[in-house]
Amino acid sequence: MRRFSIAVVAAVTLGTALSSVPAHAGEENGGRGLAHCTAGTCHFDVPPGTYDVRVTLGGKAASGTGVSGETRRSLLPETAVPAGERITRSFTVNVRTPEGEPTGPGGTPGLDLRIGGSAPALAGISVTRARHARQIFLVGDSTVCDQPGDPYSGWGQQLPQYLRKGVSVANYADSGESTVSYLGNPQLWATVRPLIRPGDAVLVQLAHNDKTTDEATYRANLETLVAGVRERGGQPVLVTPVVRRWFSPDGTLNNPTALLVNGLGVDHPAVIRSVAAAHGVPLIDLTAKTKALVESLGVEGSKALYLTNEARDNTHTSVRGATAYAGLVRDELVTRHLVPKGMVRVG
């Protein structure tokens, strides 16, 4: 990532594009296009809500532009445009307070978008309030949340880039949370539950911090979350936790640490699978999928998915790892008909 040079290039590109591309007609809430952009950042003074963003990309030279926003969320993957051409891309973004982790700082009011990529070129931008957007709520821990700083990233932070206009991700995952603490903290479940609308998908991945939760309590907590989503007319989706990168001597992850079996012997993925089967809840077996990926890469290759080299951390993911894991979730959302295939990006 060329963090500093991107900002310089973007500032030049935005400046040259401003005089030649008018703001889009019919924009709402102050969305007047490039007048809101400077030095690679665009700010729109909008209240909390769900918004559609439409960007026009390209310039005289060949370009590669990506968009992130709010607390380091990846919203549009780097998109290549040939020299002299223009293309448009759209996505839907959730604006909330706090803008990142629910128990974290409030962040900056409004919508902040950052223009990056290997050769960014933004020729136009508009922001309008979304109508009838599908919502995907995320209930989870630090492996899912919008992590505030490098080099950490949760898979929920990377998921939006895989979704097209009409689907927003409302990431209410929070670092350090277990099923017990998530249900007990009024900033978490008591805040999320009233926001769920009929038809919204609510993905629940809580296990990493249930280190002292007994099986009966863990099962009951999952059932409480499922029932709460259904009472609001939403679609609960249970997600088994991402594996820890903890290899056994035989080169597999076949051990309690990697596969999230706590000190009481509670096999979290097994309980989640059981609750999903008993209550007819869609299941995303992220434990099985991340296990297969990590084992396929091996002891050395899998280090890049985690923060092994940076922080001796084999639980939390890098941007690369979070992006790969978000791709696995994207595939499951389509397979289980939770999001139409035409509303996701591939690759």
Side-chain angles (χ1 to χ4, degrees), residues 3-48:
R3 212 177 310 277
F4 299 104
S5 61
I6 283 173
V8 174
V9 174
V12 174
T13 303
L14 290 171
T16 58
L18 183 58
S19 60
S20 59
V21 180
H24 295 284
E27 292 170 333
E28 301 174 9
N29 300 307
R32 297 171 184 168
L34 293 171
H36 287 256
C37 303
T38 182
T41 300
C42 302
H43 174 77
F44 294 87
D45 187 18
V46 297

Side-chain angles (χ1 to χ4, degrees), residues 5-96:
S5 61
I6 283 173
V8 174
V9 174
V12 174
T13 303
L14 290 171
T16 58
L18 183 58
S19 60
S20 59
V21 180
H24 295 284
E27 292 170 333
E28 301 174 9
N29 300 307
R32 297 171 184 168
L34 293 171
H36 287 256
C37 303
T38 182
T41 300
C42 302
H43 174 77
F44 294 87
D45 187 18
V46 297
T50 305
Y51 295 89
D52 291 330
V53 179
R54 182 176 184 269
V55 294
T56 302
L57 307 176
K60 293 182 179 180
S63 60
T65 309
V67 183
S68 62
E70 298 295 86
T71 303
R72 303 176 60 240
R73 299 180 218 159
S74 295
L75 301 172
L76 183 71
E78 180 163 336
T79 303
V81 182
E85 296 187 15
R86 296 282 194 274
I87 65 169
T88 61
R89 292 290 184 270
S90 298
F91 54 86
T92 301
V93 60
N94 172 258
V95 177
R96 59 182 184 274

Side-chain angles (χ1 to χ4, degrees), residues 140-203:
D141 52 36
S142 58
T143 65
V144 185
C145 75
D146 288 347
Q147 289 280 359
D150 285 330
Y152 291 83
S153 181
W155 62 256
Q157 201 164 18
Q158 301 299 324
L159 184 60
Q161 68 181 297
Y162 288 119
L163 302 171
R164 299 181 186 275
K165 175 185 174 183
V167 185
S168 72
V169 176
N171 191 352
Y172 282 86
D174 197 72
S175 292
E177 306 301 341
S178 65
T179 58
V180 176
S181 63
Y182 204 96
L183 285 168
N185 188 333
Q187 293 176 277
L188 299 172
W189 185 235
T191 296
V192 176
R193 187 175 175 276
L195 301 175
I196 300 169
R197 305 173 309 189
D200 289 342
V202 183
L203 277 58

Side-chain angles (χ1 to χ4, degrees), residues 191-327:
T191 296
V192 176
R193 187 175 175 276
L195 301 175
I196 300 169
R197 305 173 309 189
D200 289 342
V202 183
L203 277 58
V204 178
Q205 187 217 278
L206 288 167
H208 279 272
N209 300 301
D210 280 278
K211 298 175 182 177
T212 60
T213 308
D214 63 77
E215 182 170 340
T217 301
Y218 185 65
R219 181 182 296 273
N221 289 344
L222 292 175
E223 291 173 337
T224 296
L225 290 164
V226 167
V229 174
R230 284 177 166 168
E231 286 166 3
R232 294 290 302 171
Q235 172 63 72
V237 182
L238 291 177
V239 183
T240 60
V242 300
V243 293
R244 296 190 180 101
R245 185 192 159 278
W246 194 270
F247 280 90
S248 299
D250 64 358
T252 71
L253 301 183
N254 296 327
N255 61 77
T257 299
L259 299 181
L260 282 296
V261 179
N262 74 10
L264 302 178
V266 180
D267 185 332
H268 292 107
V271 175
I272 295 168
R273 295 175 190 121
S274 174
V275 171
H279 295 276
V281 177
L283 173 74
I284 296 178
D285 198 339
L286 205 51
T287 304
K289 292 187 173 297
T290 56
K291 178 179 184 291
L293 177 57
V294 171
E295 288 180 344
S296 73
L297 293 173
V299 174
E300 289 302 317
S302 62
K303 288 180 179 178
L305 300 179
Y306 291 83
L307 300 174
T308 307
N309 294 327
E310 298 87 344
R312 296 184 180 179
D313 187 336
N314 292 300
T315 296
H316 297 98
T317 47
S318 63
V319 170
R320 178 176 172 179
T323 301
Y325 291 176

